[in-house]
Amino acid sequence: MSTTSTTGTTAVARAPEARATSAGARAYLVYVGGRLAGAAVSLLAVLVTSFFLFRVIPGDPVKAMTHGMPTSAEQMATLRRQFGLDQPMWQQFTDYCARALTGDLGMSYQFRAPVGELIWQKLPATLLLTGVAVVIYSAIGLWLGTRSAWRHGSIGDRLNTSVALTLWSVPSFWLGLLLIITFSVGIGPIPGMFPTGGMESGDESGFAYVLDVAHHMVLPVVTLVAVGYAQTLLVMRSSLLDEMGSDYLTTARAKGLRDDSVRRRHAVPNALLPTVTMVFINLGHVAAGSILVETVFSWPGLGGLFYQALSVPDLPLVQGLFVVFAGAMILMNLLADLLYPLLDPRVGR
């Protein structure tokens, strides 16, 4: 009789907990569905924007492709018909959307090759350069931002903040040119130690090739890290400062926890949400690369390809790259949104 009573009491006690778990799961599924729908709408908006935005760029692609070559009016008309530029705008738009939704980004005007293949060829170089830079400056920014906030008002905090604000205000292309003049060309007692551009010398193989690529990466990576870490540092510092006066930190200290444990186990995890967004946005930039930095350092990635396409203008290539860049950002923001409830259970409830 006693065992039966205890079992019934336990089942009654667990019923609210089970209902709460089920309600939480349903709320999370609704949250995920809303974020997926938002991402789909954003991607559709990107397709529309990518088509109409680049058609306001002055210039005739056919004239640009035939510049300096004797071309008759009939040949110009043939080229326009070949690239579909003679069709009404609405028909060009519907054809573009239909192809894009199936993964066909069109045919490049200047390279006469599928846009998808061109992007795939240049993607590894961009992933290597910006991927390494993002990992480095995210780690540096998180670490320095945490230290600065925890010791706010100190000399180290003021120095870190001043340097970060200065570097965040510097245009990346200007900093890249300055580094080339100083460390590639050489100035005063400083000799030229690094290549002025490119990804490789072209005459190395094996481990020597790896060292050669790393040698070429130094200046562009330093440029990206110098500009990128500052934003992460400032966001992390601001978020942690907002948590510094919270009651739960006072309680943790009253329980006898050491200051490092309070910071690491309580303050930092609760200050991570804005910084997680920043880190995932930076990861989205890995696919986009840095157009200005890649152009300054002649890096053979997607940024340099975008600059080449924009100068024609090569509409299919520009549109395809724009979709890839924006799609990477949408995906990373979606992943950040899905990660939020794991970091803070209040999100999505």
Side-chain angles (χ1 to χ4, degrees):
M1 183 68 177
S2 177
T3 303
T4 302
S5 177
T6 302
T7 303
T9 303
T10 303
V12 171
R14 289 178 178 175
E17 181 180 349
R19 286 196 296 269
T21 303
S22 177
R26 286 196 300 270
Y28 182 71
L29 289 176
V30 172
Y31 173 80
V32 170
R35 292 300 179 271
L36 289 174
V41 172
S42 298
L43 187 58
L44 180 61
V46 166
L47 289 176
V48 176
T49 304
S50 66
F51 179 83
F52 290 103
L53 176 64
F54 298 109
R55 273 165 173 73
V56 302
I57 299 176
D60 186 343
V62 174
K63 288 183 178 179
M65 285 186 291
T66 59
H67 181 69
M69 296 183 294
T71 310
S72 65
E74 291 77 10
Q75 290 173 321
M76 297 281 285
T78 300
L79 286 173
R80 287 195 174 88
R81 185 167 56 254
Q82 178 182 347
F83 293 122
L85 296 174
D86 62 330
Q87 298 175 353
M89 188 66 70
W90 66 267
Q91 187 172 348
Q92 293 184 45
F93 175 67
T94 54
D95 290 345
Y96 163 71
C97 289
R99 290 195 307 268
L101 292 175
T102 61
D104 181 6
L105 298 177
M107 186 74 66
S108 169
Y109 294 163
Q110 61 181 139
F111 296 104
R112 305 296 178 90
V115 170
E117 290 184 7
L118 293 172
I119 293 175
W120 188 253
Q121 291 171 4
K122 300 292 186 178
L123 184 60
T126 289
L127 292 180
L128 176 64
L129 177 65
T130 55
V132 170
V134 165
V135 170
I136 294 175
Y137 71 63
S138 295
I140 294 175
L142 286 172
W143 183 69
L144 288 179
T146 300
R147 296 285 175 177
S148 293
W150 205 249
R151 297 178 175 84
H152 66 283
S154 65
I155 296 177
D157 174 39
R158 291 197 293 268
L159 180 62
N160 281 332
T161 305
S162 300
V163 173
L165 286 171
T166 301
L167 290 176
W168 197 10
S169 305
V170 172
S172 58
F173 72 90
W174 183 84
L175 180 60
L177 290 173
L178 194 63
L179 290 177
I180 289 175
I181 294 172
T182 305
F183 297 105
S184 292
V185 178
I187 182 171
I190 303 176
M193 298 176 287
F194 299 100
T196 56
M199 180 178 175
E200 57 185 88
S201 301
D203 54 355
E204 304 289 350
S205 61
F207 186 66
Y209 172 78
V210 175
L211 293 178
D212 183 44
V213 172
H215 190 217
H216 283 75
M217 285 178 60
V218 171
L219 292 185
V221 166
V222 168
T223 303
L224 292 172
V225 168
V227 176
Y229 99 93
Q231 189 176 19
T232 308
L233 181 152
L234 293 172
V235 171
M236 186 61 194
R237 180 181 181 275
S238 176
S239 300
L240 191 54
L241 283 175
D242 290 340
E243 299 289 332
M244 294 281 286
S246 300
D247 293 337
Y248 69 89
L249 296 183
T250 303
T251 303
R253 290 190 181 96
K255 290 180 177 180
L257 291 179
R258 294 184 349 181
D259 200 53
D260 286 344
S261 297
V262 173
R263 182 185 71 244
R264 186 175 60 255
R265 294 171 53 187
H266 297 279
V268 172
N270 285 285
L272 275 178
L273 282 184
T275 312
V276 165
T277 302
M278 183 64 58
V279 170
F280 273 88
I281 289 175
N282 292 338
L283 289 175
H285 286 155
V286 169
S290 178
I291 297 173
L292 294 177
V293 171
E294 288 191 9
T295 302
V296 167
F297 288 96
S298 303
W299 190 263
L302 295 181
L305 185 64
F306 186 82
Y307 178 80
Q308 286 181 275
L310 201 60
S311 62
V312 172
D314 189 339
L315 295 179
L317 186 53
V318 171
Q319 291 168 178
L321 287 167
F322 183 81
V323 169
V324 170
F325 295 164
M329 295 298 299
I330 292 172
L331 177 61
M332 289 300 108
N333 275 288
L334 175 62
L335 292 178
D337 287 339
L338 298 182
L339 184 62
Y340 281 168
L342 303 179
L343 297 175
D344 187 348
R346 295 170 298 179
V347 177
R349 295 294 187 267

